[in-house]
Amino acid sequence: MQTLSGTDEIKEIENGGITTPLGFFAAGTHAGLRYSKKDLGIIYSDVSANSAAVYTVNHFQAPPLQVTQQSIEVEGKLQAIVVNSACANACTGERGYQDALKMRSLTAEKFNLKDHLVAVASTGVIGEFLPMEKIQSGIEQISVGQTIKHTEDFQTAILTTDTVMKSCCFSAEINGKKVTIGGAAKGSGMIHPNMATMLAFLTTDAAIPQPYLYSALKEVTDVTFNQITVDGDTSTNDMVIVMANGKAGNDLLTPEHPEWKVFKQLLKLCCEGLAKQVAKDGEGATKLIDVIVEGAATNEEARIVAKQVVGSNLVKTAVFGADANWGRIIGAIGQCPVSLNPQMVDIAIGSIQILKNSEPQLFSNEKATEYLKNDVINIFINLNNGVGKGQAWGCDLSYDYVKINANYRT
Amino acid sequence: MQTLSGTDEIKEIENGGITTPLGFFAAGTHAGLRYSKKDLGIIYSDVSANSAAVYTVNHFQAPPLQVTQQSIEVEGKLQAIVVNSACANACTGERGYQDALKMRSLTAEKFNLKDHLVAVASTGVIGEFLPMEKIQSGIEQISVGQTIKHTEDFQTAILTTDTVMKSCCFSAEINGKKVTIGGAAKGSGMIHPNMATMLAFLTTDAAIPQPYLYSALKEVTDVTFNQITVDGDTSTNDMVIVMANGKAGNDLLTPEHPEWKVFKQLLKLCCEGLAKQVAKDGEGATKLIDVIVEGAATNEEARIVAKQVVGSNLVKTAVFGADANWGRIIGAIGQCPVSLNPQMVDIAIGSIQILKNSEPQLFSNEKATEYLKNDVINIFINLNNGVGKGQAWGCDLSYDYVKINANYRT
């Protein structure tokens, strides 16, 4: 365990994940949607959990998202989530909708639950139908547990072009009770969340009423998952779901609770951790780019600028090539629909000041190139135009991005 | 000459360009900003010409654009345009502004003109100062003329990462007089005009008052230059300038003139021709992508959808790889802030119907792949939600885009 500076109460749990909070189980299996890799996963809570979700704003929201929304609407609770990779079940019309319903009822049946306590998620190719026989036998055979292996099986089963599993776990004392949040996510391409172009699953044993769980998730998503971009494309399928089963035994969390902020910080750290893992594992990525904007008129405008810079193909290719071509950062800032004074902008790459009051500074190109060869690149921007702050994460644009996406389906 | 269908009065002039309209001269020379390639160009009219321009909306508008705006503001006329490549003179503060003024006065001096009859344009790396001695000797030595060679020297001198020259020329009879418009443009990277992330220069011998020239240019730019994208990045430097010297001798063109629409169509064909050449020569591009959207609620919404699809990295890489992965087209359409019915969308790639009322159609993957190997790829989208139409142009995203931009300054 390590203590995070500035958030003394909160501890990161190494090797923790979705089954670390009390009462949560997971599994992943090979149902046969892919040739050999695991492709079906389940999260299960041994009691029903207050649950909330945020969904893509893409007009072509896929059937699994509609079914999940219907589930949560009934009583704001879930007890299981079933996920498949390889097929997004998007743009599949009425048949796709019926397939998502069937996937939900098969899972409900397996755990002897009401249908509306099950959420459904899918990721993969758009426009193909789910192979329902494989889904059915996968659900029938899968067996959930709480070991690291069970958790990693789930984390693996949800991946597509991802190269690594993404997980996170944090805990804090609330009312003297240990409250834990764990998360798992997938996402590598079609990443430009708004909401989130990816799947993320969060589990917590915190006791929290559903409306507050939803508002906390929404608020945290805006500054974490919605601030990452890989390629500017917002997917049809992606969502973040949080389940809170109350097993930690804390007093119910509301905005009036003295430790409400601790809980929100826990949630934020978990979401930010997953979001950064997704950005870093962007298709073809070799580096994580972390853009920090200060001095904007508002926090929202700071986030707009950060996301524009981190999403710029020209910035991304320059970082890939370790070229401190800061004109591209200026170009990206300048096209944002925000208020700024073009005479007042500061830019630093790592600790190297590049621009001060919009005037180029003398700096060593060699040192800048050296810095740009790191795994994590920080770009600091101060608009000197207010107190707004924001941050965004992305990755560089490499030959492999093109390679992966020119041949995705083959 | 060839006659264009549907616009019988308008003829395309092969090998025509900026010196084809009466009274226009051009030149390009090697001033030494680059190692060996031509890097300084001039357009000159032997009488002053009513002139209009549209400019980038990037906050960091470069000094040459400010100087050009000041020139045109005085009496709405220009007689010369001076352009350099290799250095954008952007983010160069007060010194950059003084350099742009100096570049203007040197050109005015050479042709014995008032300063405000000269426009200045620059393109290249951001954040470096203009080498003014080289600019000065280039302007002193350059010699304008009307041959094809003079025109091509200009067209070459303005290029950066472009691989080909871009030019266009159309003529029509107006009041029984032959009116001609010629154009030259550059642009390959940082192309996502709003206005136009590139430089385009249009000359015409039409007689037209300045305010109408401006309104026609603005209207045409919105559906041509502003509808191309290479990489989603809007530059700091780019503009379109049109000079109309009246030498054709037609009655003054106003919206009430019976042949006003012919003139606007002339202007539109010239701008669209240049815009498509820029899109096709996008950095690393192997194909032109032409997206045609119908059935949107408004023309503007149709243009938004067309530009989103043509700008999607995932669509661009799929086209590069000749992969009919249409889910990416759906993904891009779905993230547009427009009104649409997600059950009603049709998509065709060339003549191959892929989606009808949002339902996948059976089609031959082999034929689709074969079609996607062409030089020009048409994507047709019908939202079946109104009568709005729009079009946008872009290019595929290849390994060479990454190669070019990971090493731009070396």
Side-chain angles (χ1 to χ4, degrees):
Chain A
M1 287 197 193
Q2 69 174 115
T3 301
L4 299 173
S5 66
T7 49
D8 276 352
E9 314 88 338
I10 296 179
K11 292 183 173 61
E12 182 164 11
I13 300 173
E14 276 169 42
N15 300 317
I18 46 172
T19 61
T20 309
L22 300 174
F24 285 99
F25 299 75
T29 189
H30 177 242
L33 286 80
R34 296 199 280 206
Y35 183 65
S36 64
K37 286 198 281 189
K38 290 193 173 57
D39 47 23
L40 186 98
I42 282 182
I43 300 175
Y44 175 73
S45 168
D46 60 10
V47 297
S48 68
N50 287 335
S51 298
V54 285
Y55 309 90
T56 184
V57 295
N58 194 298
H59 287 289
F60 298 93
Q61 214 181 56
L65 280 72
Q66 296 164 14
V67 169
T68 296
Q69 269 175 290
Q70 289 165 17
S71 284
I72 294 179
E73 269 166 24
V74 179
E75 46 174 336
K77 289 177 189 291
L78 292 173
Q79 198 163 342
I81 304 174
V82 59
V83 194
N84 74 277
S85 54
C87 171
N89 190 13
C91 265
T92 43
E94 178 60 21
R95 178 169 154 193
Y97 176 66
Q98 292 301 330
D99 286 347
L101 284 176
K102 178 77 179 169
M103 194 166 156
R104 179 174 75 163
S105 65
L106 287 166
T107 309
E109 209 171 299
K110 178 178 181 88
F111 294 103
N112 200 20
L113 304 173
K114 289 180 184 151
D115 279 7
H116 70 256
L117 291 177
V118 178
V120 182
S122 298
T123 178
V125 177
I126 294 174
E128 294 181 0
F129 294 113
L130 280 176
M132 289 307 295
E133 283 186 16
K134 292 175 179 172
I135 295 281
Q136 176 157 7
S137 76
I139 293 170
E140 280 165 7
Q141 286 161 25
I142 205 167
S143 164
V144 299
Q146 291 183 305
T147 66
I148 289 184
K149 175 157 192 330
H150 282 101
T151 305
E152 292 191 346
D153 284 350
F154 176 85
Q155 289 167 6
T156 309
I158 64 176
L159 305 181
T160 55
T161 52
D162 308 60
T163 65
V164 295
M165 298 183 294
K166 286 111 188 154
S167 65
C168 236
C169 193
F170 291 89
S171 75
E173 302 262 315
I174 293 182
N175 302 130
K177 309 284 185 183
K178 182 178 175 189
V179 170
T180 306
I181 298 190
K186 66 83 43 183
S188 189
M190 221 183 237
I191 299 290
H192 187 77
N194 182 11
M195 158 335 54
T197 313
M198 23 137 288
L199 297 175
F201 306 99
L202 300 153
T203 56
T204 178
D205 43 26
I208 175 171
Q210 199 273 348
Y212 299 117
L213 183 64
Y214 174 74
S215 65
L217 178 66
K218 181 83 185 58
E219 189 182 329
V220 164
T221 299
D222 281 344
V223 296
T224 56
F225 292 119
N226 285 347
Q227 284 299 103
I228 61 171
T229 182
V230 168
D231 48 21
D233 283 281
T234 303
S235 166
T236 52
N237 274 57
D238 301 332
M239 62 179 153
V240 177
I241 306 181
V242 57
M243 297 169 80
N245 67 9
K247 287 210 154 187
N250 58 287
D251 297 342
L252 276 179
L253 283 156
T254 69
E256 286 69 43
H257 190 291
E259 283 159 310
W260 172 248
K261 281 192 176 171
V262 177
F263 175 74
K264 270 212 320 196
Q265 186 63 13
L266 258 187
L267 188 63
K268 185 179 170 213
L269 285 169
C270 215
C271 290
E272 186 177 308
L274 292 173
K276 285 164 79 167
Q277 290 175 60
V278 169
K280 187 166 187 181
D281 193 32
E283 287 175 341
T286 71
K287 295 163 194 173
L288 175 71
I289 308 178
D290 184 341
V291 179
I292 298 110
V293 175
E294 294 186 358
T298 64
N299 289 342
E300 199 196 342
E301 292 199 355
R303 291 201 297 269
I304 289 171
V305 171
K307 198 165 174 182
Q308 184 77 36
V309 170
V310 90
S312 154
N313 276 356
L314 288 171
V315 172
K316 289 153 67 79
T317 45
V319 170
F320 173 63
D323 178 8
N325 192 338
W326 56 268
R328 297 176 177 182
I329 300 173
I330 275 291
I333 298 170
Q335 73 186 95
C336 294
V338 303
S339 69
L340 66 82
N341 180 340
Q343 315 297 329
M344 291 290 285
V345 177
D346 304 340
I347 298 176
I349 298 177
S351 62
I352 304 163
Q353 195 74 34
I354 302 283
L355 207 69
K356 185 85 192 161
N357 294 331
S358 297
E359 298 269 353
Q361 304 296 294
L362 278 179
F363 68 93
S364 154
N365 238 317
E366 289 68 35
K367 279 190 188 166
T369 298
E370 208 46 53
Y371 175 74
L372 288 169
K373 289 178 180 164
N374 287 316
D375 282 351
V376 180
I377 308 300
N378 286 300
I379 298 175
F380 299 97
I381 297 162
N382 196 328
L383 302 180
N384 293 303
N385 192 41
V387 296
K389 289 181 185 182
Q391 197 166 359
W393 301 272
C395 59
D396 55 344
L397 174 57
S398 72
Y399 298 110
D400 279 351
Y401 177 83
V402 178
K403 188 172 179 183
I404 292 164
N405 285 300
N407 299 289
Y408 179 61
R409 298 191 312 166
T410 55
Chain B
M1 289 198 192
Q2 68 174 116
T3 301
L4 299 173
S5 66
T7 51
D8 277 350
E9 315 85 340
I10 296 179
K11 292 183 174 62
E12 182 165 12
I13 299 174
E14 276 170 41
N15 299 317
I18 46 171
T19 61
T20 308
L22 301 173
F24 285 99
F25 299 75
T29 189
H30 177 242
L33 285 80
R34 295 199 280 208
Y35 183 66
S36 64
K37 284 197 283 188
K38 290 192 173 59
D39 47 23
L40 187 97
I42 282 182
I43 301 174
Y44 175 73
S45 167
D46 60 10
V47 297
S48 68
N50 288 335
S51 298
V54 285
Y55 308 92
T56 183
V57 295
N58 194 297
H59 287 289
F60 298 93
Q61 214 180 57
L65 280 71
Q66 296 165 15
V67 168
T68 297
Q69 270 175 290
Q70 289 165 18
S71 283
I72 294 178
E73 268 166 25
V74 179
E75 46 175 334
K77 287 176 191 291
L78 292 173
Q79 198 163 342
I81 303 174
V82 59
V83 194
N84 74 277
S85 54
C87 171
N89 190 14
C91 264
T92 44
E94 178 61 20
R95 177 169 155 194
Y97 176 66
Q98 292 300 331
D99 286 346
L101 284 176
K102 178 78 179 170
M103 194 167 155
R104 178 173 76 163
S105 64
L106 288 166
T107 308
E109 210 171 298
K110 179 180 179 91
F111 294 104
N112 199 22
L113 303 173
K114 289 178 183 148
D115 277 8
H116 71 257
L117 292 177
V118 178
V120 183
S122 297
T123 177
V125 177
I126 293 173
E128 294 181 0
F129 294 114
L130 280 177
M132 288 308 294
E133 284 185 15
K134 290 175 180 174
I135 296 281
Q136 177 157 8
S137 75
I139 292 170
E140 280 165 7
Q141 286 161 27
I142 204 167
S143 165
V144 298
Q146 290 182 305
T147 66
I148 288 183
K149 177 160 191 328
H150 282 101
T151 304
E152 291 191 346
D153 284 349
F154 176 85
Q155 288 168 6
T156 308
I158 63 176
L159 304 183
T160 56
T161 50
D162 308 60
T163 64
V164 294
M165 300 184 295
K166 286 112 188 153
S167 65
C168 235
C169 194
F170 290 89
S171 75
E173 303 261 315
I174 293 181
N175 302 130
K177 310 284 185 184
K178 183 178 173 188
V179 169
T180 306
I181 298 190
K186 68 82 46 183
S188 188
M190 222 183 237
I191 300 291
H192 187 77
N194 183 9
M195 176 307 68
T197 312
M198 24 136 288
L199 298 174
F201 306 100
L202 300 154
T203 57
T204 178
D205 43 25
I208 175 171
Q210 201 273 347
Y212 299 118
L213 183 64
Y214 173 74
S215 66
L217 178 65
K218 180 84 183 60
E219 190 182 328
V220 164
T221 299
D222 281 344
V223 296
T224 56
F225 292 118
N226 284 348
Q227 284 299 104
I228 61 172
T229 183
V230 168
D231 47 23
D233 284 281
T234 302
S235 167
T236 52
N237 274 59
D238 301 331
M239 62 179 151
V240 177
I241 307 181
V242 56
M243 298 169 80
N245 68 7
K247 286 211 155 186
N250 58 286
D251 298 343
L252 278 178
L253 283 157
T254 69
E256 285 71 41
H257 190 292
E259 282 159 311
W260 172 249
K261 281 194 176 168
V262 176
F263 175 75
K264 271 211 320 197
Q265 185 64 13
L266 212 46
L267 187 64
K268 186 181 169 210
L269 285 170
C270 215
C271 290
E272 186 178 308
L274 293 173
K276 284 163 78 167
Q277 289 174 59
V278 169
K280 187 165 186 179
D281 192 32
E283 287 175 342
T286 70
K287 295 164 194 172
L288 175 71
I289 308 177
D290 184 341
V291 178
I292 298 110
V293 175
E294 294 186 358
T298 64
N299 289 342
E300 198 195 343
E301 292 199 355
R303 291 201 298 269
I304 289 170
V305 172
K307 198 165 174 183
Q308 184 78 36
V309 171
V310 90
S312 155
N313 276 356
L314 289 172
V315 172
K316 289 154 67 80
T317 44
V319 170
F320 172 62
D323 178 6
N325 192 338
W326 57 267
R328 298 176 176 181
I329 300 173
I330 274 292
I333 298 170
Q335 74 187 95
C336 295
V338 302
S339 70
L340 65 82
N341 180 339
Q343 315 298 329
M344 290 289 287
V345 177
D346 303 341
I347 298 176
I349 299 177
S351 62
I352 303 164
Q353 195 74 35
I354 302 284
L355 207 68
K356 185 84 192 161
N357 294 330
S358 296
E359 297 271 352
Q361 303 296 294
L362 278 179
F363 67 93
S364 153
N365 239 316
E366 289 69 35
K367 278 189 188 167
T369 298
E370 208 47 51
Y371 175 75
L372 287 169
K373 289 178 179 164
N374 287 316
D375 282 351
V376 179
I377 307 301
N378 286 300
I379 299 174
F380 299 97
I381 296 163
N382 196 328
L383 302 181
N384 293 304
N385 193 41
V387 296
K389 288 183 186 182
Q391 198 166 358
W393 301 272
C395 58
D396 55 344
L397 174 57
S398 72
Y399 298 111
D400 280 352
Y401 177 84
V402 178
K403 188 172 180 184
I404 291 164
N405 285 299
N407 299 289
Y408 179 61
R409 299 192 310 165
T410 53

